[in-house]
Amino acid sequence: MAIFSKEEARKILEKALSFSTADACVVNLGGSQGGNIRYARNSVSTAGYQSNQSLAVTASFGKRSGTATIDELDDASLKKVVQRAEELAKLSPENPEYMEPLGPQQYDESKTFVEATANITPEYRAEVANSSITPAKTKDVTAAGFLDDGQGFSAMMNSNGLFAYNKSTDVSFTVTMRTNDGTGSGWVTRDYNDINKFDSSEASQVAIDKAVMSRQAKAIEPGKYTVILEPSAGLGLLQGLGRSLNARSADEGRSFMSKEGGGTKLGEKIVDERVNLWSDPLNDEVPAATWNGAGQPLKKTTWIENGTVKNLAYGRYWAKEKGVEPVPFPSNFIMGGGDASLDDLIKSTRKGILVTRLWYIRSVDPQTLLYTGLTRDGTFYIENGKIKYPVKNFRFNESPIIMLNNLETLGKQVRVDGSLIPYMKVRDFTFTSLSDAV
């Protein structure tokens, strides 16, 4: 059995710690189980179920540490893995940035587990595939999709008295629809902790409609355009901004958050005042674990408020070096939005481009957060408040900082990849060349 209750996990962790002779010992236990179904060419290709568990021991003597893992949890195996970690620790060089394990902590009760998601059946997965394949066939479209669902737990205990436990569920779905003449493509993604929020027919229909609409795309000149970025497209660039919220790289002059001449941009206004970015593990739409891998409690944290940098993430070592309190890196991102729907944004656009998705995003300049990549799976020209026709895909060169300074309208928030991101209407988005790829 891969999923252990809080008390079952506690007993295993206590037993492992009882074998330790190290100065400090940290034991992590985790497990997961779930299923999946994959389909392509309008036919199911694979389906499966997996169950895994593992235990990791990190033993430390002074500043020397060693880690060993195992997937057998009987007493003899637990003793063996602890001894192996201690042997490795004694052979290891000292870590100058070693930090003692934390003592006992208080954690909020997370909202990450939903029983209905844990109880998904093979029959349900088959019906999800059918809800894509059957309507695709009627529209002369070919479906290729993947549904992955599961439940899992993670637990931690150390020799200083810390104990943490979290149980979670998740389901993720993506499907690409291609028209059978090879000229149109549509795509959609959905992810939830709660399966009751997922409508596979609705999601598949979005991808089908985009595929049909994107047939016979026209080429238009690259340049600067007003764009409407769907949340999945906006997230692709916002992730770069999220990664830059690291105090150490900023202090060391290695990131966009580094201030010219030294210091960081903490407290500086860097984007439009309508931009608010925060993390909250207790958000009902994007719940996350309430502790991280170091055992630190995770709380609601504001990163950007009214366009101004309010916090940077400080790891425990770097916080000690700088004489400040640690600020854990977020487990989710939430960007404030507005009331406008996608239709509202389209109707308010005289000339522009609707972008479903950005793909193959690569960093060009980490100091300015400049990225390049391609549009994909549904790119459309808008004129006088209506979608006029599909356009060939573009390569773009853009920075999330420039993007968030060129905001025209923020729309409704949508969950994407565990975060909440709004529709965004942005002026002067830079497309540099065309791509013949559909």
Side-chain angles (χ1 to χ4, degrees):
M1 183 176 180
I3 308 299
F4 294 109
S5 70
K6 188 173 185 177
E7 289 311 309
E8 288 171 333
R10 185 193 295 272
K11 289 179 181 178
I12 294 170
L13 293 172
E14 286 175 341
K15 176 62 72 171
L17 276 175
S18 72
F19 296 122
S20 174
T21 63
D23 297 337
C25 186
V26 180
V27 186
N28 284 274
L29 176 65
S32 64
Q33 59 189 32
N36 61 77
I37 191 166
R38 186 187 300 273
Y39 49 100
R41 298 177 65 87
N42 284 343
S43 179
V44 171
S45 54
T46 62
Y49 178 87
Q50 65 281 330
S51 177
N52 298 291
Q53 62 187 27
S54 65
L55 181 139
V57 177
T58 297
S60 300
F61 294 93
K63 294 185 177 182
R64 302 175 187 271
S65 298
T67 299
T69 62
I70 201 165
D71 61 4
E72 297 174 298
L73 304 177
D74 58 274
D75 287 5
S77 296
L78 293 177
K79 185 175 184 179
K80 178 181 177 181
V81 73
V82 171
Q83 290 175 340
R84 180 59 175 158
E86 293 180 353
E87 290 169 0
L88 292 171
K90 292 173 182 177
L91 294 171
S92 299
E94 287 194 347
N95 176 7
E97 298 183 7
Y98 172 80
M99 297 293 294
E100 284 280 341
L102 290 170
Q105 304 290 310
Q106 293 293 319
Y107 305 114
D108 294 321
E109 192 71 27
S110 76
K111 302 178 179 180
T112 53
F113 182 83
V114 178
E115 191 70 39
T117 310
N119 293 332
I120 289 175
T121 64
E123 290 78 13
Y124 176 87
R125 298 181 196 111
E127 184 52 41
V128 169
N130 184 59
S131 70
S132 280
I133 294 168
T134 297
K137 288 179 178 179
T138 66
K139 295 290 186 178
D140 198 27
V141 168
T142 297
F146 185 61
L147 176 79
D148 187 35
D149 64 84
Q151 59 175 316
F153 82 96
S154 55
M156 169 192 286
M157 184 177 285
N158 69 31
S159 52
N160 286 342
L162 179 146
F163 174 68
Y165 177 88
N166 188 68
K167 195 175 179 183
S168 63
T169 53
D170 63 86
V171 57
S172 62
F173 172 75
T174 60
V175 64
T176 300
M177 300 287 184
R178 288 292 184 107
T179 58
N180 290 335
D181 64 2
T183 68
S185 180
W187 173 87
V188 75
T189 184
R190 298 285 189 268
D191 68 287
Y192 301 100
N193 298 86
D194 184 355
I195 192 63
N196 295 309
K197 297 179 179 180
F198 175 49
D199 185 339
S200 60
S201 295
E202 175 272 336
S204 295
Q205 193 60 52
V206 169
I208 291 169
D209 290 345
K210 289 201 171 186
V212 173
M213 288 171 59
S214 63
R215 283 187 177 123
Q216 305 296 333
K218 299 180 181 179
I220 63 174
E221 285 297 314
K224 291 185 179 292
Y225 287 89
T226 294
V227 296
I228 297 171
L229 297 174
E230 296 200 14
S232 53
L235 178 63
L237 285 172
L238 291 172
Q239 285 173 331
L241 174 58
R243 287 190 292 268
S244 76
L245 295 168
N246 181 294
R248 182 169 187 172
S249 60
D251 283 326
E252 293 177 342
R254 297 185 286 112
S255 82
F256 168 79
M257 291 295 173
S258 303
K259 196 172 182 178
E260 191 172 346
T264 73
K265 294 178 182 176
L266 190 64
E268 289 191 7
K269 183 176 180 295
I270 61 169
V271 289
D272 188 288
E273 61 272 6
R274 290 170 292 175
V275 176
N276 293 282
L277 186 67
W278 67 96
S279 56
D280 182 5
L282 297 181
N283 182 278
D284 288 335
E285 294 301 315
V286 286
T290 55
W291 52 278
N292 66 9
Q296 295 170 286
L298 297 177
K299 304 286 187 179
K300 183 176 181 178
T301 305
T302 298
W303 302 98
I304 295 176
E305 183 177 64
N306 301 328
T308 299
V309 182
K310 287 295 184 180
N311 275 297
L312 295 175
Y314 282 83
R316 291 180 63 215
Y317 170 78
W318 198 245
K320 179 177 72 72
E321 290 293 297
K322 293 297 179 179
V324 300
E325 287 297 312
V327 180
F329 201 78
S331 55
N332 62 13
F333 277 112
I334 302 168
M335 181 174 171
D339 297 325
S341 67
L342 177 58
D343 286 343
D344 293 334
L345 295 177
I346 293 171
K347 288 175 183 176
S348 68
T349 303
R350 190 174 68 85
K351 288 185 178 181
I353 306 291
L354 171 62
V355 179
T356 296
R357 181 185 182 194
L358 299 178
W359 178 73
Y360 210 72
I361 300 172
R362 295 293 183 269
S363 175
V364 176
D365 181 5
Q367 296 293 96
T368 62
L369 291 185
L370 182 64
Y371 291 90
T372 189
L374 299 163
T375 65
R376 188 178 184 185
D377 297 317
T379 309
F380 304 94
Y381 180 68
I382 302 168
E383 188 173 274
N384 297 325
K386 295 181 179 179
I387 293 177
K388 295 291 286 186
Y389 49 78
V391 294
K392 285 195 172 185
N393 285 308
F394 293 102
R395 173 168 290 281
F396 69 86
N397 271 29
E398 195 56 89
S399 164
I401 303 303
I402 296 173
M403 177 181 81
L404 294 178
N405 274 297
N406 287 341
L407 274 178
E408 290 196 355
T409 311
L410 286 170
K412 293 179 179 179
Q413 295 170 308
V414 175
R415 174 170 172 150
V416 182
D417 196 21
S419 292
L420 275 182
I421 306 297
Y423 290 96
M424 287 182 281
K425 184 177 174 182
V426 177
R427 63 182 175 275
D428 293 333
F429 194 91
T430 305
F431 294 117
T432 56
S433 61
L434 292 176
S435 169
D436 284 330
V438 175

